[in-house]
Amino acid sequence: MDTNTSKKAQQNEPIVTHIYTADPSAHVFEGKLYIYPSHDIDHDGPTNDNGDQYAMEDYHVLSMESADAPVVDHGEALHIKDVPWASQQMWAPDAAFKNDTYYLYFPARDKDGVFRIGVATSASPIGPFKAEENYMEGSFSIDPAVYVDEDGQSYMYFGGLWGGQLEKWQTGAYKPEAEGPAVNEPALGPQVAQLSDDMLSFQTAPMEILIVDENGAPIPAGDEERRYFEGPWMHKYECKYYLSYSTGTTHKLVYAVGDHPEGPFVFKGTFLTPVLGWTTHHSIVEYQDKWYLFYHDASLSGGVDHKRSVKFTELHYNEDGTIQLIEPYKE
């Protein structure tokens, strides 16, 4: 059943308050703004670096007809009980449209506790979505983000450290005891793979994206102000590709710019200062001739890391293509 919040959306305020939401992926489909968040469960379990507190089980789809319209919750679009291969923790999702079909991409732990990425399909942007029998072959880790380029080629970006297990795949196989690079070595980048025309499988093997500084040197693992941690997002602005992501431990959203969707990308800076709560995760979308940043924080729950709320705010570019810093907590 659709749930209307009955009040107009306001920037930098929770867009829905009847459930906890996080990790918003925003897209324009059929002339309307659709948001695909994760759905945080209201529980009081333990918190740890493995992310056990993030025990999400399903996805809801939200929509807005304008930036100041009421937000509609279209209800449950997919539940983990309907995903044959998954066991727990349906984390940050994304969606895409191609072939007259809507695709919902999502990470979850398989029966062995290893994070994989699945895909589900629907004829409608609000679902319900039907999951494929198995996870996408060759997929691993978390935070899928799919970008459909102007030439029709689609790319999936993914990967997250720590609970997201990215560092455990450095050999191409899952090594449960593996650790990340030394602080002076190049940081692990997100993975990218071209998707097949049917959007259900990888057309190319995942490859690591290179993120470099202004001198062309790889960002080192010890540079926690700039190095990749999780939450990749791809968008295009004036013929340039913008890879944005979370720095994790330093709680920033940052971005790098390149000439090709597979990189390399040159680090440019921070565009969102730390929010309340440990995680930060976002999407960037153009809608009705303005650009918007969708993000989350833990303000609605009083700062509980795993009870988060999606917010949004307008995003602005400078004339040189850099993104203006957003400081939502600045008085």
Side-chain angles (χ1 to χ4, degrees), residues 28 39-40 43 59 84 88-89 97 101 110 121-122 142 152 160 170 185 203 207 218 281 303:
V28 178
H39 176 199
D40 282 349
H43 73 91
Y59 298 111
Q88 61 177 328
Q89 291 180 299
F97 176 73
T101 302
D110 65 14
T121 56
S122 176
I142 61 168
Q170 294 172 85
E185 295 177 343
Q203 181 173 288
M207 58 174 275
H281 192 116

Side-chain angles (χ1 to χ4, degrees), residues 15-16 19-26 35-41 54 56 58-60 62 90-94 143 279-283 294-298 304-311:
I15 63 172
V16 294
I19 58 174
Y20 290 116
T21 55
D23 312 318
S25 294
I35 303 99
Y36 299 83
S38 52
H39 176 199
D40 282 349
I41 292 176
Y54 304 109
M56 298 88 95
D58 68 351
Y59 298 111
H60 285 226
L62 311 176
M90 295 177 80
W91 285 5
D94 192 21
D143 293 351
T279 66
T280 188
H281 192 116
H282 74 295
S283 59
F294 280 78
Y295 66 101
H296 71 234
D297 70 10
V304 180
D305 287 343
H306 62 274
K307 298 178 186 180
R308 299 161 293 181
S309 299
V310 168
K311 298 182 174 183

Side-chain angles (χ1 to χ4, degrees), residues 250-253 270-276 280 293 295 325-330:
T250 50
H251 318 297
K252 295 179 177 181
L253 290 180
T270 299
F271 64 93
L272 184 72
T273 52
V275 299
L276 180 64
T280 188
L293 168 70
Y295 66 101
L325 182 66
I326 297 170
E327 300 177 273
Y329 301 100
K330 188 175 182 180

Side-chain angles (χ1 to χ4, degrees), residues 167-183:
E167 66 271 32
K168 303 183 184 306
W169 286 92
Q170 294 172 85
T171 64
Y174 181 72
K175 304 290 184 183
E177 304 305 318
E179 298 181 354
V183 294

